[in-house]
Amino acid sequence: MSLTRTVLLATALPLLLLCGNAAIAQSAPPPAWDQLTPAQREQLIGPVRERWNGADAQERGRMLEHARRWQSMTPAERAEARHGLHSWKQLPPDQREEARALYSKLRTLPEAEREALRERWKQMTPEQRRRWAADNPAPPRRESRGP
């Protein structure tokens, strides 16, 4: 074996082992809550505490309701909720406003009218949707993270 090859193997082997250990560490499941250090727990809780302390009573009520609903969801429902939030974040601002207008209108309608509006919405062109949303604006948004 040549000296260059020996040096290369001697240098590369520890790097490969480190990469392998990093991959194993990344694939290992995260620890249970009881196994977290106090610092790790604080990292997780800190942002929620800050948001809670900065919220008014109405927002705190919404936060508690969201937590209650999240706890009652099945894993499949949680995955669907995450997917929906990811899809929402990918929407351009004008399409978000259209969706807000549509959903705020849907909340006020009886079920049969809701279904009719959904079907009509599916048939609309993008320009028709923009006009409809302009004619039926959503109420002003509260400061929040979601739709």
Side-chain angles (χ1 to χ4, degrees), residues 1-14:
M1 188 182 299
S2 72
L3 182 60
T4 306
R5 190 170 180 183
T6 304
V7 170
L8 182 60
L9 282 174
T11 308
L13 187 59

Side-chain angles (χ1 to χ4, degrees), residues 24-147:
I24 290 169
Q26 289 176 355
S27 65
W33 182 263
D34 293 339
Q35 295 170 327
L36 294 174
T37 66
Q40 289 171 321
R41 290 180 187 179
E42 182 57 33
Q43 281 182 312
L44 293 167
I45 295 172
V48 175
R49 181 186 302 112
E50 290 173 19
R51 187 167 170 222
W52 180 269
N53 288 338
D56 62 18
Q58 186 177 12
E59 181 63 17
R60 286 178 180 181
R62 278 194 289 269
M63 290 171 71
L64 283 174
E65 177 59 21
H66 288 159
R68 186 199 59 73
R69 283 184 20 224
W70 186 261
Q71 291 298 314
S72 70
M73 288 181 177
T74 65
E77 289 170 330
R78 289 178 183 183
E80 189 176 330
R82 284 186 194 102
H83 176 74
L85 182 58
H86 177 74
S87 297
W88 176 261
K89 287 180 177 180
Q90 301 305 310
L91 284 179
D94 59 326
Q95 287 183 346
R96 285 187 190 189
E97 286 306 314
E98 290 172 15
R100 282 187 186 100
L102 176 62
Y103 293 135
S104 69
K105 183 68 171 183
L106 288 172
R107 282 189 207 110
T108 67
L109 299 174
E111 183 56 39
E113 291 179 44
R114 257 186 272 179
E115 193 54 40
L117 178 54
R118 281 188 197 107
E119 289 304 314
R120 200 172 59 180
W121 185 265
K122 290 177 188 175
Q123 305 304 318
M124 289 182 192
T125 66
E127 180 54 37
Q128 289 171 325
R129 288 178 180 178
R130 277 190 287 281
R131 272 187 272 136
W132 186 93
D135 293 342
N136 300 277
R141 291 188 294 148
R142 67 182 197 274
E143 290 302 315
S144 166
R145 293 190 198 171

